[in-house]
Coordinates of all heavy atoms in Angstrom, one line a residue:
W1 N 38.6 8.6 -25.3 CA 39.1 7.3 -25.5 C 39.1 6.9 -27.0 O 38.5 7.6 -27.8 CB 38.2 6.3 -24.7 CG 36.7 6.3 -25.1 CD1 35.7 7.0 -24.5 CD2 36.1 5.6 -26.2 NE1 34.5 6.7 -25.1 CE2 34.8 5.8 -26.2 CE3 36.6 4.7 -27.1 CZ2 33.9 5.3 -27.1 CZ3 35.7 4.2 -28.0 CH2 34.4 4.4 -28.0
A2 N 39.8 5.9 -27.3 CA 39.9 5.4 -28.7 C 39.7 3.9 -28.6 O 40.1 3.2 -27.7 CB 41.2 5.8 -29.3
M3 N 39.2 3.4 -29.7 CA 39.0 1.9 -29.8 C 39.3 1.5 -31.3 O 38.9 2.1 -32.2 CB 37.6 1.5 -29.5 CG 37.3 0.1 -29.5 SD 35.7 -0.5 -28.9 CE 34.6 0.8 -29.0
L4 N 40.1 0.4 -31.4 CA 40.4 -0.2 -32.6 C 39.5 -1.5 -32.7 O 39.5 -2.3 -31.8 CB 41.8 -0.6 -32.7 CG 42.3 -1.4 -34.0 CD1 42.1 -0.5 -35.2 CD2 43.7 -1.8 -33.8
L5 N 38.7 -1.6 -33.8 CA 37.8 -2.7 -33.9 C 38.2 -3.6 -35.1 O 38.6 -3.1 -36.2 CB 36.3 -2.2 -34.2 CG 35.7 -1.4 -33.1 CD1 34.4 -0.8 -33.6 CD2 35.4 -2.3 -31.9
Y6 N 38.1 -4.9 -34.9 CA 38.3 -5.8 -36.0 C 37.1 -6.7 -36.2 O 36.6 -7.3 -35.2 CB 39.5 -6.7 -35.7 CG 39.7 -7.8 -36.7 CD1 40.2 -7.6 -38.0 CD2 39.4 -9.1 -36.3 CE1 40.3 -8.6 -38.9 CE2 39.5 -10.2 -37.2 CZ 40.0 -9.9 -38.5 OH 40.1 -11.0 -39.4
R7 N 36.6 -6.8 -37.4 CA 35.5 -7.7 -37.7 C 36.0 -8.8 -38.6 O 36.5 -8.4 -39.7 CB 34.3 -6.9 -38.4 CG 33.7 -5.9 -37.5 CD 32.6 -5.2 -38.3 NE 32.1 -4.0 -37.6 CZ 31.2 -4.0 -36.6 NH1 30.6 -5.1 -36.3 NH2 30.8 -2.9 -36.1
S8 N 35.9 -10.0 -38.2 CA 36.4 -11.1 -39.0 C 35.5 -11.3 -40.2 O 34.3 -10.9 -40.2 CB 36.6 -12.4 -38.2 OG 35.3 -12.8 -37.7
S9 N 35.9 -12.0 -41.2 CA 35.1 -12.3 -42.3 C 34.0 -13.3 -41.9 O 34.2 -14.0 -40.9 CB 35.9 -12.9 -43.5 OG 36.5 -14.0 -43.1
S10 N 32.9 -13.3 -42.6 CA 31.8 -14.2 -42.3 C 31.1 -14.7 -43.5 O 31.2 -14.1 -44.6 CB 30.8 -13.5 -41.4 OG 30.2 -12.4 -42.0
E11 N 30.5 -15.9 -43.4 CA 29.9 -16.5 -44.6 C 28.4 -16.6 -44.2 O 28.0 -17.1 -43.2 CB 30.4 -17.9 -44.8 CG 29.9 -18.6 -46.0 CD 30.3 -18.0 -47.3 OE1 31.5 -17.6 -47.4 OE2 29.6 -18.0 -48.3
W12 N 27.5 -16.1 -45.1 CA 26.1 -16.0 -44.9 C 25.5 -17.0 -45.9 O 25.3 -16.7 -47.1 CB 25.5 -14.7 -45.2 CG 26.0 -13.6 -44.2 CD1 27.3 -13.3 -43.9 CD2 25.2 -12.9 -43.4 NE1 27.3 -12.3 -43.0 CE2 26.0 -12.0 -42.6 CE3 23.8 -12.8 -43.2 CZ2 25.5 -11.1 -41.7 CZ3 23.3 -11.9 -42.2 CH2 24.2 -11.1 -41.5
S13 N 25.2 -18.2 -45.5 CA 24.8 -19.3 -46.4 C 23.4 -19.0 -47.1 O 23.1 -19.4 -48.2 CB 24.7 -20.6 -45.7 OG 23.8 -20.5 -44.6
D14 N 22.6 -18.2 -46.4 CA 21.3 -17.8 -47.0 C 21.4 -16.9 -48.2 O 20.5 -16.8 -49.0 CB 20.4 -17.0 -45.9 CG 20.0 -17.9 -44.8 OD1 20.1 -19.2 -44.9 OD2 19.6 -17.4 -43.8
Y15 N 22.6 -16.4 -48.4 CA 22.8 -15.4 -49.5 C 23.8 -16.0 -50.6 O 24.4 -15.3 -51.4 CB 23.3 -14.1 -49.0 CG 22.3 -13.4 -48.2 CD1 22.2 -13.6 -46.8 CD2 21.4 -12.5 -48.8 CE1 21.3 -12.9 -46.1 CE2 20.4 -11.9 -48.0 CZ 20.4 -12.1 -46.7 OH 19.5 -11.4 -45.9
E16 N 23.9 -17.3 -50.7 CA 24.8 -17.9 -51.6 C 24.4 -17.6 -53.1 O 25.3 -17.5 -54.0 CB 24.9 -19.4 -51.4 CG 25.7 -19.8 -50.2 CD 25.8 -21.3 -49.9 OE1 25.2 -22.1 -50.7 OE2 26.5 -21.6 -48.9
A17 N 23.1 -17.5 -53.3 CA 22.7 -17.2 -54.7 C 22.8 -15.7 -55.1 O 22.6 -15.3 -56.2 CB 21.2 -17.6 -54.8
A18 N 23.2 -14.9 -54.1 CA 23.3 -13.4 -54.3 C 24.3 -13.1 -55.4 O 24.1 -12.2 -56.2 CB 23.6 -12.7 -53.1
A19 N 25.4 -13.8 -55.4 CA 26.5 -13.5 -56.4 C 26.0 -13.7 -57.8 O 26.2 -12.9 -58.7 CB 27.7 -14.3 -56.1
S20 N 25.3 -14.8 -58.1 CA 24.8 -15.1 -59.5 C 23.6 -14.2 -59.8 O 23.5 -13.7 -61.0 CB 24.5 -16.5 -59.6 OG 23.4 -16.9 -58.7
Q21 N 22.8 -13.9 -58.9 CA 21.6 -13.1 -59.1 C 21.9 -11.6 -59.4 O 21.2 -10.9 -60.0 CB 20.6 -13.2 -58.0 CG 20.0 -14.6 -57.9 CD 19.1 -14.7 -56.7 OE1 19.1 -13.9 -55.8 NE2 18.4 -15.9 -56.6
T22 N 23.0 -11.2 -58.8 CA 23.4 -9.7 -58.9 C 24.6 -9.5 -59.8 O 25.3 -8.5 -59.8 CB 23.7 -9.1 -57.6 OG1 24.7 -9.8 -56.9 CG2 22.4 -9.2 -56.7
S23 N 25.0 -10.5 -60.6 CA 26.2 -10.5 -61.5 C 27.5 -10.1 -60.7 O 28.3 -9.4 -61.2 CB 26.0 -9.5 -62.6 OG 24.8 -9.8 -63.4
G24 N 27.6 -10.7 -59.5 CA 28.8 -10.5 -58.7 C 28.8 -9.2 -57.9 O 29.8 -9.0 -57.2
L25 N 27.8 -8.4 -58.0 CA 27.8 -7.2 -57.2 C 27.8 -7.5 -55.7 O 28.5 -6.9 -54.9 CB 26.6 -6.3 -57.5 CG 26.4 -5.0 -56.8 CD1 27.6 -4.1 -57.1 CD2 25.1 -4.4 -57.2
Y26 N 27.0 -8.5 -55.3 CA 27.0 -8.9 -53.9 C 27.5 -10.4 -53.8 O 27.4 -11.1 -54.7 CB 25.5 -8.8 -53.3 CG 25.0 -7.4 -53.4 CD1 23.9 -7.1 -54.1 CD2 25.6 -6.4 -52.6 CE1 23.4 -5.8 -54.1 CE2 25.1 -5.1 -52.7 CZ 24.0 -4.8 -53.4 OH 23.5 -3.6 -53.4
N27 N 28.0 -10.7 -52.6 CA 28.5 -12.0 -52.4 C 28.0 -12.5 -51.0 O 27.7 -11.7 -50.2 CB 30.0 -11.9 -52.4 CG 30.7 -13.3 -52.6 OD1 30.2 -14.3 -52.1 ND2 31.9 -13.3 -53.2
S28 N 28.0 -13.8 -50.8 CA 27.6 -14.3 -49.5 C 28.6 -14.2 -48.5 O 28.4 -14.4 -47.3 CB 27.2 -15.8 -49.7 OG 28.3 -16.6 -50.0
R29 N 29.8 -13.9 -48.9 CA 30.9 -13.7 -47.9 C 31.2 -12.2 -47.7 O 31.3 -11.4 -48.6 CB 32.2 -14.3 -48.5 CG 33.4 -14.3 -47.5 CD 34.4 -15.3 -47.9 NE 35.4 -15.6 -46.9 CZ 35.2 -16.3 -45.8 NH1 34.0 -16.8 -45.6 NH2 36.1 -16.4 -44.9
V30 N 31.2 -11.9 -46.4 CA 31.5 -10.5 -46.0 C 33.0 -10.5 -45.6 O 33.4 -11.3 -44.7 CB 30.6 -10.1 -44.8 CG1 31.0 -8.7 -44.3 CG2 29.2 -10.1 -45.2
A31 N 33.7 -9.6 -46.2 CA 35.2 -9.5 -45.9 C 35.5 -9.0 -44.5 O 34.7 -8.3 -43.9 CB 35.9 -8.6 -47.0
E32 N 36.7 -9.3 -44.1 CA 37.1 -8.7 -42.8 C 37.3 -7.2 -42.9 O 37.5 -6.7 -44.0 CB 38.4 -9.4 -42.3 CG 39.6 -9.0 -43.2 CD 40.9 -9.7 -42.8 OE1 40.9 -10.6 -41.9 OE2 41.9 -9.3 -43.3
A33 N 37.2 -6.5 -41.7 CA 37.3 -5.1 -41.8 C 37.9 -4.6 -40.4 O 37.7 -5.2 -39.4 CB 36.0 -4.5 -42.0
W34 N 38.6 -3.5 -40.5 CA 39.2 -2.7 -39.4 C 38.5 -1.4 -39.3 O 38.2 -0.8 -40.3 CB 40.7 -2.5 -39.5 CG 41.5 -3.8 -39.4 CD1 41.8 -4.6 -40.5 CD2 42.0 -4.4 -38.3 NE1 42.6 -5.6 -40.1 CE2 42.7 -5.5 -38.7 CE3 42.0 -4.0 -36.9 CZ2 43.4 -6.3 -37.8 CZ3 42.7 -4.8 -36.1 CH2 43.4 -6.0 -36.5
S35 N 38.3 -0.9 -38.1 CA 37.8 0.5 -38.0 C 38.3 1.1 -36.7 O 38.7 0.4 -35.7 CB 36.3 0.6 -38.1 OG 35.7 0.0 -37.0
V36 N 38.4 2.4 -36.6 CA 38.9 3.1 -35.4 C 37.8 4.1 -35.0 O 37.2 4.8 -35.8 CB 40.1 3.9 -35.8 CG1 40.6 4.7 -34.6 CG2 41.3 3.0 -36.2
E37 N 37.5 4.0 -33.7 CA 36.6 5.0 -33.1 C 37.3 5.9 -32.1 O 38.3 5.5 -31.5 CB 35.5 4.2 -32.3 CG 34.6 3.4 -33.2 CD 33.5 2.7 -32.4 OE1 33.3 3.0 -31.2 OE2 32.7 2.0 -33.0
L38 N 36.9 7.1 -32.1 CA 37.5 8.1 -31.2 C 36.4 9.0 -30.6 O 35.5 9.4 -31.2 CB 38.5 9.0 -32.1 CG 39.2 10.2 -31.3 CD1 40.2 9.6 -30.3 CD2 39.9 11.1 -32.3
A39 N 36.5 9.1 -29.3 CA 35.5 9.9 -28.5 C 36.3 10.9 -27.7 O 37.3 10.6 -27.1 CB 34.7 9.0 -27.6
L40 N 35.7 12.1 -27.7 CA 36.3 13.2 -26.9 C 35.2 13.9 -26.1 O 34.0 13.9 -26.5 CB 36.8 14.3 -27.9 CG 37.8 13.8 -28.9 CD1 37.9 14.8 -30.0 CD2 39.2 13.5 -28.3
Q41 N 35.5 14.3 -24.9 CA 34.5 15.1 -24.1 C 35.2 16.2 -23.4 O 36.4 16.2 -23.1 CB 33.8 14.2 -23.1 CG 34.6 13.7 -22.0 CD 33.7 12.9 -21.0 OE1 32.5 13.0 -21.1 NE2 34.3 12.1 -20.2
K42 N 34.4 17.3 -23.3 CA 35.0 18.5 -22.7 C 33.9 19.1 -21.7 O 32.7 19.1 -22.0 CB 35.3 19.5 -23.8 CG 35.7 20.9 -23.3 CD 37.0 20.9 -22.7 CE 37.4 22.3 -22.3 NZ 38.4 22.4 -21.2
W43 N 34.4 19.4 -20.5 CA 33.5 20.0 -19.5 C 33.6 21.5 -19.6 O 34.6 22.1 -19.9 CB 33.9 19.6 -18.1 CG 33.6 18.2 -17.8 CD1 34.4 17.1 -17.9 CD2 32.4 17.7 -17.2 NE1 33.8 16.0 -17.5 CE2 32.5 16.3 -17.1 CE3 31.2 18.3 -16.9 CZ2 31.5 15.5 -16.6 CZ3 30.2 17.5 -16.4 CH2 30.3 16.1 -16.2
F44 N 32.5 22.2 -19.4 CA 32.4 23.7 -19.4 C 31.6 24.2 -18.2 O 31.0 23.4 -17.5 CB 31.6 24.1 -20.7 CG 32.2 23.7 -22.0 CD1 31.8 22.6 -22.6 CD2 33.2 24.5 -22.5 CE1 32.3 22.2 -23.8 CE2 33.8 24.1 -23.8 CZ 33.3 23.0 -24.4
W45 N 31.7 25.5 -18.0 CA 30.9 26.2 -17.0 C 31.0 25.5 -15.6 O 30.0 25.2 -15.0 CB 29.5 26.2 -17.5 CG 28.6 27.2 -16.8 CD1 28.9 28.4 -16.2 CD2 27.2 27.1 -16.7 NE1 27.8 29.0 -15.7 CE2 26.7 28.2 -16.0 CE3 26.2 26.1 -17.0 CZ2 25.4 28.4 -15.7 CZ3 24.9 26.3 -16.7 CH2 24.5 27.4 -16.0
G46 N 32.2 25.3 -15.1 CA 32.4 24.8 -13.8 C 31.8 23.4 -13.7 O 31.2 23.0 -12.6
R47 N 32.0 22.5 -14.6 CA 31.6 21.1 -14.7 C 30.0 21.0 -14.6 O 29.5 20.1 -14.1 CB 32.2 20.3 -13.6 CG 33.7 20.2 -13.9 CD 34.4 19.2 -12.9 NE 34.0 17.8 -13.1 CZ 34.5 16.9 -14.0 NH1 35.5 17.3 -14.7 NH2 34.1 15.7 -14.0
R48 N 29.3 22.0 -15.2 CA 27.9 22.0 -15.2 C 27.4 21.6 -16.6 O 26.2 21.3 -16.8 CB 27.2 23.3 -14.8 CG 27.4 23.5 -13.3 CD 26.6 24.7 -12.9 NE 27.5 25.4 -11.9 CZ 27.8 26.7 -11.9 NH1 27.3 27.5 -12.8 NH2 28.6 27.2 -11.0
A49 N 28.3 21.7 -17.6 CA 27.9 21.4 -19.0 C 29.0 20.5 -19.6 O 30.2 20.7 -19.3 CB 27.7 22.6 -19.8
R50 N 28.6 19.5 -20.4 CA 29.5 18.6 -21.0 C 29.2 18.4 -22.5 O 28.0 18.2 -22.8 CB 29.6 17.3 -20.3 CG 30.5 16.3 -20.9 CD 30.7 15.1 -20.1 NE 29.4 14.4 -20.0 CZ 29.3 13.2 -19.4 NH1 30.3 12.6 -18.8 NH2 28.1 12.6 -19.3
L51 N 30.2 18.4 -23.3 CA 30.0 18.2 -24.7 C 30.8 16.9 -25.1 O 32.0 16.7 -24.7 CB 30.6 19.3 -25.6 CG 30.4 19.2 -27.1 CD1 28.9 19.2 -27.5 CD2 31.1 20.3 -27.8
H52 N 30.1 16.0 -25.7 CA 30.7 14.7 -26.0 C 30.7 14.5 -27.6 O 29.6 14.6 -28.2 CB 30.0 13.6 -25.3 CG 30.6 12.2 -25.5 ND1 31.6 11.7 -24.7 CD2 30.3 11.2 -26.4 CE1 31.9 10.5 -25.1 NE2 31.1 10.2 -26.1
L53 N 31.8 14.2 -28.2 CA 31.9 13.9 -29.6 C 32.4 12.5 -29.8 O 33.3 12.0 -29.2 CB 32.9 14.9 -30.3 CG 32.6 16.4 -30.1 CD1 33.8 17.2 -30.7 CD2 31.3 16.7 -30.9
L54 N 31.7 11.8 -30.8 CA 32.1 10.4 -31.1 C 32.3 10.4 -32.6 O 31.4 10.8 -33.4 CB 31.1 9.4 -30.7 CG 31.2 8.0 -31.2 CD1 32.5 7.4 -30.6 CD2 30.0 7.2 -30.9
F55 N 33.4 9.8 -33.1 CA 33.7 9.6 -34.5 C 33.9 8.1 -34.7 O 34.8 7.5 -34.0 CB 35.0 10.4 -34.9 CG 34.8 11.9 -34.8 CD1 35.3 12.5 -33.6 CD2 34.2 12.6 -35.8 CE1 35.1 13.9 -33.5 CE2 34.1 14.0 -35.6 CZ 34.6 14.6 -34.5
R56 N 33.2 7.5 -35.6 CA 33.3 6.1 -35.9 C 33.9 5.9 -37.3 O 33.6 6.7 -38.2 CB 31.9 5.4 -35.8 CG 31.3 5.4 -34.4 CD 30.1 4.6 -34.4 NE 30.4 3.2 -34.5 CZ 29.5 2.3 -34.9 NH1 28.3 2.6 -35.3 NH2 29.9 1.0 -35.0
N57 N 34.7 4.9 -37.4 CA 35.3 4.6 -38.7 C 36.0 5.8 -39.3 O 35.7 6.3 -40.4 CB 34.3 4.1 -39.7 CG 34.9 3.4 -40.9 OD1 36.1 3.2 -41.0 ND2 34.0 3.0 -41.8
I58 N 37.0 6.3 -38.6 CA 37.8 7.5 -39.0 C 38.4 7.4 -40.4 O 38.4 8.4 -41.1 CB 38.8 7.8 -37.9 CG1 38.1 8.2 -36.6 CG2 39.7 8.9 -38.3 CD1 39.0 8.4 -35.4
A59 N 38.8 6.2 -40.8 CA 39.5 6.1 -42.1 C 38.4 6.2 -43.2 O 38.8 6.3 -44.4 CB 40.2 4.8 -42.2
N60 N 37.2 6.2 -42.9 CA 36.1 6.2 -43.9 C 36.1 5.1 -44.9 O 35.7 5.3 -46.1 CB 36.1 7.6 -44.6 CG 34.7 7.9 -45.2 OD1 33.7 7.3 -44.9 ND2 34.7 8.8 -46.2
D61 N 36.6 4.0 -44.5 CA 36.6 2.8 -45.4 C 35.2 2.1 -45.1 O 34.8 2.0 -44.0 CB 37.7 1.8 -45.0 CG 39.1 2.3 -45.3 OD1 39.2 3.1 -46.3 OD2 40.0 1.9 -44.6
A62 N 34.6 1.6 -46.2 CA 33.3 1.0 -46.0 C 33.5 -0.3 -45.2 O 34.2 -1.2 -45.5 CB 32.7 0.7 -47.3
V63 N 32.8 -0.4 -44.0 CA 32.8 -1.5 -43.2 C 31.6 -2.3 -43.4 O 30.5 -1.9 -43.1 CB 33.0 -1.2 -41.7 CG1 32.9 -2.4 -40.8 CG2 34.3 -0.4 -41.5
P64 N 31.7 -3.5 -44.1 CA 30.5 -4.2 -44.5 C 29.9 -5.0 -43.2 O 30.7 -5.5 -42.5 CB 30.9 -5.2 -45.5 CG 32.4 -5.4 -45.2 CD 32.9 -4.1 -44.6
L65 N 28.6 -4.9 -43.1 CA 27.9 -5.6 -42.0 C 27.0 -6.8 -42.5 O 26.6 -7.6 -41.7 CB 27.1 -4.6 -41.2 CG 27.9 -3.5 -40.6 CD1 26.9 -2.5 -39.9 CD2 28.9 -4.0 -39.6
H66 N 26.7 -6.7 -43.8 CA 25.8 -7.7 -44.4 C 26.1 -7.9 -45.8 O 26.6 -7.0 -46.5 CB 24.4 -7.0 -44.2 CG 23.3 -8.0 -44.5 ND1 22.8 -8.3 -45.7 CD2 22.6 -8.8 -43.6 CE1 21.8 -9.2 -45.6 NE2 21.7 -9.5 -44.3
P67 N 25.9 -9.1 -46.3 CA 26.3 -9.4 -47.7 C 25.6 -8.6 -48.8 O 26.2 -8.5 -49.9 CB 25.9 -10.9 -47.9 CG 25.5 -11.4 -46.6 CD 25.3 -10.3 -45.7
I68 N 24.4 -8.1 -48.6 CA 23.8 -7.4 -49.7 C 23.9 -5.9 -49.5 O 23.0 -5.1 -49.9 CB 22.3 -7.8 -49.8 CG1 21.5 -7.6 -48.6 CG2 22.2 -9.3 -50.3 CD1 20.0 -7.9 -48.7
G69 N 24.9 -5.4 -48.9 CA 25.3 -4.0 -49.0 C 25.2 -3.2 -47.8 O 25.7 -2.0 -47.8
A70 N 24.7 -3.6 -46.7 CA 24.7 -2.8 -45.5 C 26.1 -2.6 -45.0 O 26.8 -3.5 -44.7 CB 23.9 -3.4 -44.4
A71 N 26.5 -1.3 -45.0 CA 27.9 -0.9 -44.6 C 27.8 0.5 -44.0 O 26.9 1.2 -44.3 CB 28.8 -1.0 -45.8
Y72 N 28.9 0.8 -43.3 CA 28.9 2.2 -42.8 C 30.3 2.8 -43.0 O 31.3 2.1 -43.0 CB 28.5 2.3 -41.3 CG 29.5 1.7 -40.3 CD1 30.4 2.6 -39.7 CD2 29.4 0.4 -39.9 CE1 31.4 2.1 -38.8 CE2 30.4 -0.1 -39.0 CZ 31.3 0.8 -38.4 OH 32.2 0.3 -37.5
G73 N 30.3 4.1 -43.3 CA 31.6 4.8 -43.4 C 31.8 5.7 -42.2 O 31.3 5.4 -41.1
L74 N 32.4 6.9 -42.4 CA 32.6 7.8 -41.4 C 31.3 8.3 -40.8 O 30.4 8.7 -41.5 CB 33.4 9.0 -41.9 CG 33.7 10.1 -40.9 CD1 34.5 9.6 -39.7 CD2 34.3 11.3 -41.5
T75 N 31.1 8.1 -39.5 CA 29.9 8.6 -38.8 C 30.3 9.4 -37.6 O 31.4 9.1 -37.0 CB 29.0 7.4 -38.3 OG1 29.6 6.2 -38.5 CG2 27.7 7.4 -38.9
F76 N 29.5 10.3 -37.1 CA 29.8 11.0 -35.9 C 28.6 11.3 -35.2 O 27.5 11.4 -35.7 CB 30.6 12.3 -36.2 CG 29.9 13.4 -36.9 CD1 29.2 14.4 -36.2 CD2 29.8 13.4 -38.3 CE1 28.5 15.3 -36.8 CE2 29.1 14.4 -38.9 CZ 28.4 15.4 -38.2
A77 N 28.7 11.5 -33.9 CA 27.6 11.9 -33.0 C 28.0 13.0 -32.1 O 29.2 13.0 -31.6 CB 27.1 10.7 -32.2
V78 N 27.1 13.9 -31.7 CA 27.4 15.0 -30.8 C 26.3 14.9 -29.7 O 25.1 14.7 -30.0 CB 27.3 16.3 -31.5 CG1 27.5 17.5 -30.5 CG2 28.2 16.4 -32.6
Q79 N 26.8 14.9 -28.4 CA 25.9 14.9 -27.3 C 26.2 16.0 -26.4 O 27.4 16.2 -26.0 CB 26.0 13.5 -26.6 CG 25.2 13.4 -25.3 CD 25.5 12.1 -24.6 OE1 26.3 11.3 -25.0 NE2 24.8 11.9 -23.5
G80 N 25.2 16.7 -25.9 CA 25.5 17.8 -24.9 C 24.6 17.5 -23.7 O 23.5 17.0 -23.8
E81 N 25.2 17.8 -22.5 CA 24.5 17.6 -21.3 C 24.6 18.8 -20.4 O 25.7 19.5 -20.4 CB 25.1 16.4 -20.5 CG 25.0 15.1 -21.2 CD 25.6 14.0 -20.4 OE1 25.1 13.7 -19.3 OE2 26.6 13.4 -20.9
L82 N 23.6 19.2 -19.7 CA 23.5 20.3 -18.8 C 23.1 19.8 -17.5 O 22.1 19.2 -17.3 CB 22.6 21.4 -19.4 CG 22.5 22.6 -18.5 CD1 23.8 23.4 -18.5 CD2 21.4 23.6 -19.1
F83 N 23.9 20.0 -16.4 CA 23.6 19.6 -15.1 C 23.2 20.8 -14.3 O 23.9 21.8 -14.2 CB 24.9 19.0 -14.5 CG 25.4 17.8 -15.2 CD1 26.3 17.9 -16.2 CD2 24.9 16.5 -14.9 CE1 26.8 16.8 -16.9 CE2 25.3 15.4 -15.6 CZ 26.3 15.5 -16.6
L84 N 22.0 20.7 -13.8 CA 21.4 21.9 -13.1 C 21.6 21.9 -11.6 O 21.1 22.8 -10.9 CB 19.9 21.9 -13.4 CG 19.5 22.0 -14.9 CD1 18.0 22.0 -15.1 CD2 20.1 23.3 -15.5
R85 N 22.3 21.0 -11.0 CA 22.5 20.9 -9.6 C 23.4 22.1 -9.2 O 24.3 22.5 -9.9 CB 23.1 19.6 -9.2 CG 24.5 19.4 -9.8 CD 25.1 18.1 -9.3 NE 26.4 17.9 -9.8 CZ 26.8 17.3 -10.9 NH1 25.9 16.7 -11.6 NH2 28.0 17.2 -11.3
G86 N 23.2 22.7 -8.1 CA 24.1 23.7 -7.5 C 24.0 25.0 -8.2 O 24.9 25.9 -8.1
L87 N 22.9 25.3 -8.9 CA 22.8 26.6 -9.6 C 22.3 27.7 -8.6 O 21.5 27.5 -7.8 CB 21.9 26.5 -10.8 CG 22.4 25.8 -12.0 CD1 21.4 25.8 -13.1 CD2 23.7 26.5 -12.5

């Protein structure tokens, strides 16, 4: 599956002083952002094993989540499952 995510801009009033205190490095406003997620899964061994791959933010653009720097770029996860029924 694939998913297109949009995060609208937001204003964090608690961080209004951040711009002046950090010489403009941080701002109380978090800009809008787009990201794409892609997940793939494959069954093996007569549907007894499954491998699942997840890729987040495929474009690797920094997606800001917080005014003072929390952001994420390209991330991925790998999950494996083994089903022991019917062995």
